[in-house]
Amino acid sequence: MDLKMDLKKRFWIIFLTASIVINFITDDFQVSASEAVSSPEITEFRVSQIFQHLPEITAYLHLNDENGKSIENIDGITLSAFIDSDSLPVTSASKFNDVQEGAAYLFLVDVSKSLTTSQFNQIKKAITDWVDAMTDKDRALLMTFGTAVRTVQDFTADKDILKKAIKELTLTDMNTQLHLGISKAIELGRRKDADLPGRRVIITLSDGQDDFAGGMTKAEVLNQLKEDPVPIYAIGFAKPPINDEKELYLKSLGEFARTSGGLYFNAGNISLSEIYKKVRQSVAEVWSAKLDCKNCRADGAVHRLQMSIKAGTRTITDGQSIRLLPDVPVTQNAAPPQSGTAQPESGQPAASQPESGQPPASQQESGQTGTVQPQASQAATPQPKWWQKIPLAGWAGAGGLLLVLIIIASTRKKRASSQVISELTSEQTEAPHPPHSTMGQPAFSNLDEAITASKKQVGHGTDSPAFDSDSATLAESDNSSQSRPIKLTVVGSAKTKSYSHNLANTLVIGRSKVCDIAITDDEEISGRHCQLVQREGSIYLQDLNSTNGTMVNGVPFSGMYRLHSRDLILVGRTELRVSYKS
């Protein structure tokens, strides 16, 4: 008996010891595995540029940590994309340097005498060093702005030609047409030449001041950047002492850079050669994401491409507006202007013609001469379209089916209209309203009923008002809602900012100063963009027919959306986290 008890004690001692050891090892392994797959801490996510070559779209992205350094890997990160409300598959995401796509650089150089000769020589040296670092897939263009805007050298990969053009630059002008220079650079950056890389970058150094009387305005440049922007990497440089006026000009330059998807760099006391190196490093550290857009329609209309990145519990979104156009193949390019011969800008950049008796540059490179022959496929017999292959009987059957569906829909619509009119008439008879009240407006028990009733009322000619997104009649009709503290915090920004309010009925968000929450520094937010509505203990989000729409947790919506605490609202380029107690 004693022996059995002794064996039992030993067994339990060994069992408990083994359990503790196994549990320790397992926990340690789980912690190590968790640490191994933990996603990097991303505090800045920006869409720098979108280049479309349908059916594929390439998005160039800035992914930086809290110290402003580029993220080196995206393990554990989820990247998603939407064009309008349609999801786009992300087929790949790689560092720009790894894919070796090449870039088209547009150097926009100030030739006004606001710079000293020493400073101008430093700029020329920095651009020359940049050209020396170009790869065989890179291209560069040289522009100047002063009293006039000129293309000194068109896109080329020839470093000797570029360096010669840079060497011949001098300070000549007394005025500065910065705005027109940026505008022309954007136009050139949108070119679809067959030999140009998709990545486009405008590099400029300026004090931000445009002193040309009657020239292009800042608002015109910002409007040009609303769709298909070309990223501007701007270096802010002003002569000391820096006063309020100079700070204002530099702020405008920074606004151009951020709106375009580029970056702003303050030269400060850093040497110009070093600041150009810093810009070149930032340009090279973007990520290249390939998006499958085979179902996109190249209808020539402007669409919103919105991208979201999720790392752990943190989600950041950004996007740009693009005009989807069908790709037009380029058969040959105009020859670039000769080195040192400046071409004045007047609307579109002037394309230089090849010298007399010489074939186009594209034919010289391939050793061909003579005229370009039409392709054989152009002379082939055109194939019938899909709709031409459907027999007449098929079209007749489809037409009959469509007619039946129209009759059924019309009948249901009339029945719904009669029912609504009957209900509203009954309410008016039973409870007459006092003077100046809204006649015939029903008291809704929940938002679903309000939205359904509003859809029925539209177009039926009744006196009762439809549910209007531009008014707050729905929420204001219920004054019994209790005031609830709510907080909206701006996320994905270097400066943390929050808005705290007591929500009773509605809370309007927009760019207008009369809104409850006025976000005046985001040009993509409409005057009255959206509103929060409290009904029956729940909080809903309603878009007020904004230009760019509203998104919740990276997904666009229409109508009303029921919010939960910690949801993310995207208005324009500003993301807000909603916090409230249930």
Side-chain angles (χ1 to χ4, degrees):
M1 188 69 176
D2 293 337
L3 178 61
K4 289 183 179 181
M5 291 295 295
D6 186 62
L7 289 174
K8 285 184 179 180
K9 288 181 180 179
R10 292 182 180 182
F11 170 80
W12 283 112
I13 292 172
I14 295 172
F15 175 80
L16 292 174
T17 304
S19 299
I20 293 172
V21 171
I22 292 172
N23 186 61
F24 178 82
I25 295 174
T26 304
D27 288 346
D28 185 66
F29 172 78
Q30 290 176 347
V31 171
S32 300
S34 175
E35 291 174 352
V37 298
S38 63
S39 56
E41 184 66 23
I42 298 176
T43 58
E44 182 184 14
F45 168 61
R46 300 189 63 200
V47 177
S48 175
Q49 182 202 345
I50 298 170
F51 182 78
Q52 54 174 308
H53 187 68
L54 299 182
E56 184 180 71
I57 289 180
T58 303
Y60 298 97
L61 314 172
H62 280 292
L63 301 174
N64 297 333
D65 60 18
E66 59 184 2
N67 297 318
K69 294 184 179 180
S70 177
I71 299 297
E72 293 301 323
N73 70 81
I74 56 174
D75 294 338
I77 290 176
T78 303
L79 185 64
S80 58
F82 286 85
I83 189 158
D84 296 332
S85 59
D86 299 325
S87 176
L88 296 184
V90 181
T91 58
S92 67
S94 307
K95 264 300 188 102
F96 178 69
N97 282 340
D98 296 338
V99 295
Q100 298 179 348
E101 296 176 356
Y105 302 112
L106 296 94
F107 294 104
L108 185 59
V109 184
D110 185 356
V111 292
S112 69
K113 294 185 178 180
S114 60
L115 296 166
T116 66
T117 302
S118 174
Q119 292 167 346
F120 190 66
N121 288 335
Q122 291 181 56
I123 295 172
K124 290 167 62 175
K125 175 63 167 58
I127 298 175
T128 301
D129 292 341
W130 193 311
V131 169
D132 282 331
M134 285 171 48
T135 68
D136 57 349
K137 292 186 178 181
D138 293 333
R139 301 290 184 271
L141 174 147
L142 189 64
M143 295 180 66
T144 61
F145 67 96
T147 303
V149 178
R150 298 179 175 88
T151 300
V152 177
Q153 175 59 51
D154 201 357
F155 283 112
T156 181
D158 193 319
K159 297 182 180 181
D160 291 334
I161 291 178
L162 287 168
K163 288 191 286 187
K164 182 181 179 182
I166 295 168
K167 184 178 180 181
E168 294 175 354
L169 294 178
T170 57
L171 296 173
T172 56
D173 297 357
M174 299 303 297
N175 298 109
T176 308
Q177 286 212 73
L178 171 64
H179 297 160
L180 182 61
I182 292 176
S183 174
K184 296 303 177 185
I186 294 170
E187 291 177 8
L188 291 173
R190 291 172 175 169
R191 276 169 45 178
K192 297 291 185 180
D193 300 21
D195 61 341
L196 285 183
R199 174 74 166 145
R200 311 292 168 87
V201 181
I202 299 172
I203 304 104
T204 190
L205 180 145
S206 172
D207 59 5
Q209 182 177 8
D210 187 315
D211 58 7
F212 189 83
M216 198 170 185
T217 65
K218 170 186 172 181
E220 289 175 306
V221 177
L222 291 174
N223 187 61
Q224 190 177 6
L225 290 170
K226 286 185 177 180
E227 62 179 71
D228 295 325
V230 180
I232 301 169
Y233 288 75
I235 302 171
F237 180 80
K239 293 180 180 178
I242 307 298
N243 53 31
D244 292 342
E245 184 180 16
K246 292 181 180 179
E247 286 282 3
L248 188 61
Y249 289 135
L250 292 174
K251 184 178 179 181
S252 296
L253 186 64
E255 189 174 357
F256 290 146
R258 289 186 295 273
T259 304
S260 69
L263 296 174
Y264 173 75
F265 300 83
N266 190 347
N269 297 324
I270 306 174
S271 68
L272 296 183
S273 60
E274 289 299 319
I275 197 69
Y276 268 92
K277 287 181 182 178
K278 186 176 180 181
V279 174
R280 188 166 77 240
Q281 182 180 3
S282 297
V283 169
E285 286 180 341
V286 298
W287 284 78
S288 174
K290 303 294 183 181
L291 312 179
D292 184 359
C293 200
K294 63 184 178 183
N295 294 325
C296 299
R297 289 190 305 153
D299 53 7
V302 177
H303 300 266
R304 179 71 180 179
L305 177 63
Q306 197 75 19
M307 300 191 68
S308 298
I309 190 162
K310 184 176 182 180
T313 60
R314 186 180 182 85
T315 301
I316 310 175
T317 65
D318 192 28
Q320 290 184 1
S321 297
I322 59 172
R323 189 179 296 275
L324 291 180
L325 298 171
D327 281 331
V328 179
V330 181
T331 55
Q332 67 182 59
N333 300 326
Q338 299 299 318
S339 175
T341 59
Q343 301 295 321
E345 297 287 348
S346 57
Q348 295 292 337
S352 302
Q353 300 296 327
E355 296 181 4
S356 177
Q358 296 294 327
S362 60
Q363 295 184 22
Q364 292 179 16
E365 293 177 358
S366 60
Q368 299 176 358
T369 59
T371 59
V372 179
Q373 298 297 326
Q375 298 178 358
S377 60
Q378 295 176 347
T381 303
Q383 296 294 323
K385 305 295 184 182
W386 65 268
W387 50 268
Q388 294 175 328
K389 298 179 181 180
I390 300 176
L392 183 60
W395 285 111
L401 179 60
L402 179 61
L403 180 61
V404 171
L405 293 176
I406 291 174
I407 293 173
I408 293 174
S410 177
T411 303
R412 290 184 176 180
K413 186 176 181 181
K414 288 180 180 179
R415 290 178 181 175
S417 176
S418 300
Q419 182 179 356
V420 170
I421 293 174
S422 176
E423 291 176 357
L424 294 177
T425 304
S426 176
E427 288 184 3
Q428 293 174 9
T429 303
E430 294 174 0
H433 295 267
H436 306 295
S437 65
T438 304
M439 295 297 295
Q441 180 175 326
F444 303 113
S445 61
N446 55 63
L447 284 178
D448 291 335
E449 181 182 342
I451 296 172
T452 303
S454 67
K455 291 180 178 178
K456 291 181 180 179
Q457 291 172 1
V458 175
H460 291 311
T462 65
D463 293 332
S464 58
F467 181 64
D468 186 1
S469 62
D470 290 331
S471 67
T473 56
L474 174 63
E476 291 172 355
S477 65
D478 181 11
N479 294 323
S480 63
S481 298
Q482 296 296 322
S483 177
R484 174 182 295 185
I486 189 167
K487 183 177 181 181
L488 292 95
T489 306
V490 178
V491 298
S493 175
K495 295 182 179 179
T496 303
K497 187 175 183 180
S498 61
Y499 304 89
S500 297
H501 286 268
N502 288 323
L503 175 59
N505 293 315
T506 61
L507 192 67
V508 179
I509 303 171
R511 199 174 70 253
S512 173
K513 294 182 179 179
V514 300
C515 294
D516 301 305
I517 296 179
I519 306 175
T520 59
D521 57 351
D522 189 338
E523 295 292 333
E524 293 188 18
I525 297 178
S526 300
R528 296 178 74 251
H529 197 101
C530 62
Q531 67 178 0
L532 301 179
V533 180
Q534 183 187 190
R535 282 297 300 268
E536 301 297 333
S538 297
I539 296 178
Y540 298 84
L541 178 65
Q542 178 187 8
D543 185 81
L544 299 179
N545 294 328
S546 62
T547 302
N548 295 319
T550 308
M551 301 179 73
V552 178
N553 298 327
V555 180
F557 73 96
S558 59
M560 309 291 296
Y561 187 96
R562 183 177 179 181
L563 290 174
H564 298 84
S565 188
R566 308 298 292 169
D567 277 349
L568 291 171
I569 301 174
L570 180 69
V571 289
R573 299 170 67 91
T574 303
E575 192 169 35
L576 303 167
R577 184 181 297 280
V578 182
S579 301
Y580 65 89
K581 291 185 178 180
S582 303

